[in-house]
Amino acid sequence: MSQPQTSTSQETPSQVSFYEKRKKIYAKGVRGFFDNWRIALVIFTQILFYVTPWLVWNDRQAVLLHLVERKFYIFGLVFWPQDVIYLAALLIISAYALFLVTAIAGRLFCGYACPQTVYTQMFMWIENWIEGERNARIKLDKAPLDARKIRIKGTKHLLWLLVSLWTGFTLVAYFTPVNELIAAVKSNDLSGWETFWIFFYGGFTYLMAGFMREQVCKYMCPYARFQSVMFDPDTLIITYDPERGETRGARRKGVDAKAAGLGDCVDCGLCVQVCPTGIDIRNGLQYECIGCAACVDVCDQVMDKVGLPRGLVRYSTENAMARHLTRQEIIGHVVRPRILVYTAILVLIVGAAGWFLAHRIPLKVDIIRDRSTLAREADDGRIENVYTLQIMNTEERPHRYTVAVDGLPGAEIAGEREVDVPAATLQAFNTVVRVAPDAGRQGANPIHFEIVASENADIKVREKASFLLP
């Protein structure tokens, strides 16, 4: 019987890498309808971010999240830690607004207003200004290191660093009054936390917008991963029309493209060159696509040059592509159950938050009964309990408040019944409540304090407390 043959040569298994080496993307600049919108939104968001800390309201910074004082100033409103419910409402509204916009029109936020996209765009403008357009940047990177390359690269990085540090400074100016921050910088007297956050946020801006760019969108941002949950066949996305575009190929003079079996796509590759994440939109919807529509702008320009209709790459939906829906029919599919649910929830939350904010009473009171002396007998034989009222005036004008008490027969306040509280201040008010020994049962008895602004009876708070009878 023959024995099975064994190979004496050792087979080397092929190595499979789970990590893709990054290829630097040299995004080509493009101008068009959607690019103009992107420029407008970059300018708008950054004016909003950089200018807001310099606005003045009531002789103070208009928007100031003052952590030291534990007060948030938003123009004419002052929020305290007790108002955290409004922060929760703001976050919920932002989330549902993002869900609604994404369900209707895909990743518009990513393509036009996301901080990563905005700062990357700003850094790319600086890069194009200093180093030149795409081909010039590729040539410069391949060139040997010399004085010219050092000068150009150094200038670019210097401008990047200045923008990054100013961004970090602006962020801290939302939490420390900007005038105090400038004075601290001039006198080299920044606190440790202020120094940390200026350089931390500035450093991350420099790193993310200058170097990582599309890697943040592809590997770090969770939104790219769960966006498919909010998409449906009627969501507007950037799409390539394969029925019209295939078969791809360059057009030659004197040759009938249709007769040659060519579609409208001339296979110029410009849609890939302008993409900030380096994908080919002709391969279909991909999670790396941030919906910036740069490929739409450049493809429309190519179609204009070759005399073909625009829209080979366009905003459309899966249903529209499959059923060849018109623009009016696409708009008609916007109203669908998911959109109605998102809209109803968003309107409900915004309406409730707006109502509560409009009817918000600018007065908060905490009542603390003196635990060192539970109850004591006064000179006239009545029983006394001592309380400390923490009165918080949340308006930016002073108020005089009148304090009254009820709940037990003959209950009254001994001593001062009025207290002046300056604007946006928390002030303690010590008071003594007296009642007859037989006014209630032995032990804890419920009473109520009513604090009313003297000049405005609508500003009042009624708080429950307990009165101890021996």
Side-chain angles (χ1 to χ4, degrees):
M1 181 181 291
S2 61
Q3 299 293 329
Q5 295 181 355
T6 58
S7 175
T8 57
S9 63
Q10 185 177 3
E11 295 182 0
T12 304
S14 59
Q15 295 182 349
V16 178
S17 175
F18 292 97
Y19 300 94
E20 180 185 12
K21 184 178 180 181
R22 187 209 177 200
K23 297 178 182 178
K24 185 175 180 180
I25 295 175
Y26 297 88
K28 182 180 177 66
V30 59
R31 295 302 304 273
F33 176 79
F34 295 105
D35 184 65
N36 291 336
W37 269 107
R38 186 162 52 254
I39 291 173
L41 283 170
V42 168
I43 293 173
F44 171 75
T45 55
Q46 295 317 291
I47 288 178
L48 197 66
F49 175 71
Y50 289 112
V51 173
T52 299
W54 299 91
L55 300 179
V56 177
W57 186 280
N58 288 343
D59 297 326
R60 60 157 173 84
Q61 192 168 313
V63 178
L64 177 61
L65 314 178
H66 209 310
L67 297 182
V68 175
E69 295 183 358
R70 294 186 297 176
K71 301 174 190 174
F72 285 6
Y73 299 94
I74 312 293
F75 292 95
L77 299 173
V78 182
F79 295 97
W80 297 67
Q82 291 85 344
D83 295 316
V84 68
I85 185 65
Y86 293 105
L87 175 61
L90 177 62
L91 295 177
I92 294 172
I93 290 170
S94 300
Y96 269 100
L98 184 61
F99 296 162
L100 176 60
V101 171
T102 303
I104 293 175
R107 299 179 66 178
L108 284 183
F109 174 76
C110 291
Y112 296 90
C114 173
Q116 175 64 23
T117 301
V118 167
Y119 286 108
T120 297
Q121 188 70 45
M122 292 169 58
F123 276 42
M124 287 175 62
W125 288 343
I126 295 174
E127 189 172 59
N128 291 355
W129 177 43
I130 301 298
E131 296 185 359
E133 257 297 346
R134 182 176 185 271
N135 292 335
R137 297 200 306 273
I138 295 175
K139 183 178 179 181
L140 180 66
D141 283 353
K142 291 181 178 180
L145 189 64
D146 55 14
R148 176 180 175 274
K149 186 172 182 178
I150 292 174
R151 174 179 57 81
I152 294 175
K153 292 287 186 180
T155 303
K156 179 186 74 172
H157 285 281
L158 176 62
L159 292 176
W160 281 1
L161 285 169
L162 290 176
V163 172
S164 300
L165 288 176
W166 185 248
T167 302
F169 176 89
T170 302
L171 175 73
V172 176
Y174 280 92
F175 299 90
T176 299
V178 66
N179 294 331
E180 296 179 13
L181 195 59
I182 292 175
V185 170
K186 289 181 178 179
S187 60
N188 195 24
D189 192 31
L190 285 171
S191 69
W193 281 112
E194 289 167 344
T195 304
F196 170 78
W197 282 109
I198 289 174
F199 285 96
F200 179 82
Y201 193 74
F204 261 78
T205 302
Y206 177 70
L207 176 65
M208 300 296 182
F211 297 93
M212 299 191 69
R213 294 187 177 177
E214 80 287 347
Q215 295 183 92
V216 176
C217 303
K218 292 170 66 174
Y219 305 119
M220 297 175 63
C221 179
Y223 185 53
R225 303 295 179 176
F226 68 76
Q227 63 168 328
S228 58
V229 178
M230 293 175 281
F231 279 20
D232 61 33
D234 288 309
T235 298
L236 280 170
I237 54 177
I238 308 294
T239 55
Y240 165 72
D241 191 345
E243 292 185 14
R244 176 183 158 189
E246 302 297 326
T247 303
R248 311 171 195 169
R251 279 164 166 66
R252 297 179 182 178
K253 292 182 178 181
V255 177
D256 187 349
K258 297 297 181 182
L262 296 177
D264 286 355
C265 179
V266 299
D267 202 18
C268 61
L270 289 176
C271 56
V272 180
Q273 294 180 22
V274 300
C275 180
T277 58
I279 65 171
D280 189 341
I281 194 62
R282 296 171 295 180
N283 294 333
L285 178 64
Q286 298 151 72
Y287 78 90
E288 297 95 338
C289 177
I290 62 173
C292 67
C295 53
V296 177
D297 281 335
V298 74
C299 187
D300 284 347
Q301 293 174 11
V302 173
M303 292 297 102
D304 290 342
K305 290 180 180 178
V306 298
L308 294 171
R310 291 187 170 198
L312 179 60
V313 180
R314 63 185 184 271
Y315 271 107
S316 188
T317 69
E318 291 183 32
N319 280 337
M321 298 295 289
R323 304 175 187 175
H324 304 92
L325 301 180
T326 64
R327 179 175 296 183
Q328 288 73 20
E329 291 173 326
I330 293 174
I331 296 174
H333 280 73
V334 169
V335 181
R336 54 192 189 274
R338 175 179 293 193
I339 302 303
L340 293 175
V341 170
Y342 283 157
T343 303
I345 294 175
L346 185 60
V347 170
L348 180 64
I349 297 174
V350 170
W355 188 90
F356 280 108
L357 189 60
H359 293 80
R360 173 173 171 257
I361 299 174
L363 170 64
K364 300 182 185 300
V365 179
D366 290 327
I367 300 174
I368 305 171
R369 187 166 49 80
D370 188 355
R371 298 184 181 276
S372 62
T373 305
L374 298 181
R376 67 190 182 194
E377 186 177 353
D379 294 338
D380 59 2
R382 290 187 295 176
I383 304 302
E384 293 181 344
N385 279 195
V386 180
Y387 300 87
T388 299
L389 276 61
Q390 301 282 357
I391 301 176
M392 184 185 298
N393 176 15
T394 63
E395 276 195 320
E396 288 196 282
R397 57 173 179 164
H399 283 293
R400 167 167 287 191
Y401 300 101
T402 302
V403 181
V405 65
D406 60 49
L408 288 175
E412 66 175 6
I413 292 177
E416 291 292 331
R417 302 183 183 184
E418 292 187 340
V419 56
D420 292 314
V421 182
T425 301
L426 173 66
Q427 184 161 312
F429 176 68
N430 297 319
T431 187
V432 177
V433 178
R434 292 177 180 173
V435 300
D438 58 352
R441 67 179 184 276
Q442 185 178 1
N445 295 268
I447 61 173
H448 290 88
F449 284 91
E450 188 168 270
I451 299 89
V452 183
S454 301
E455 67 277 13
N456 187 353
D458 292 332
I459 302 177
K460 63 180 178 180
V461 169
R462 185 175 173 84
E463 290 288 337
K464 185 179 179 180
S466 61
F467 189 96
L468 291 181
L469 282 172

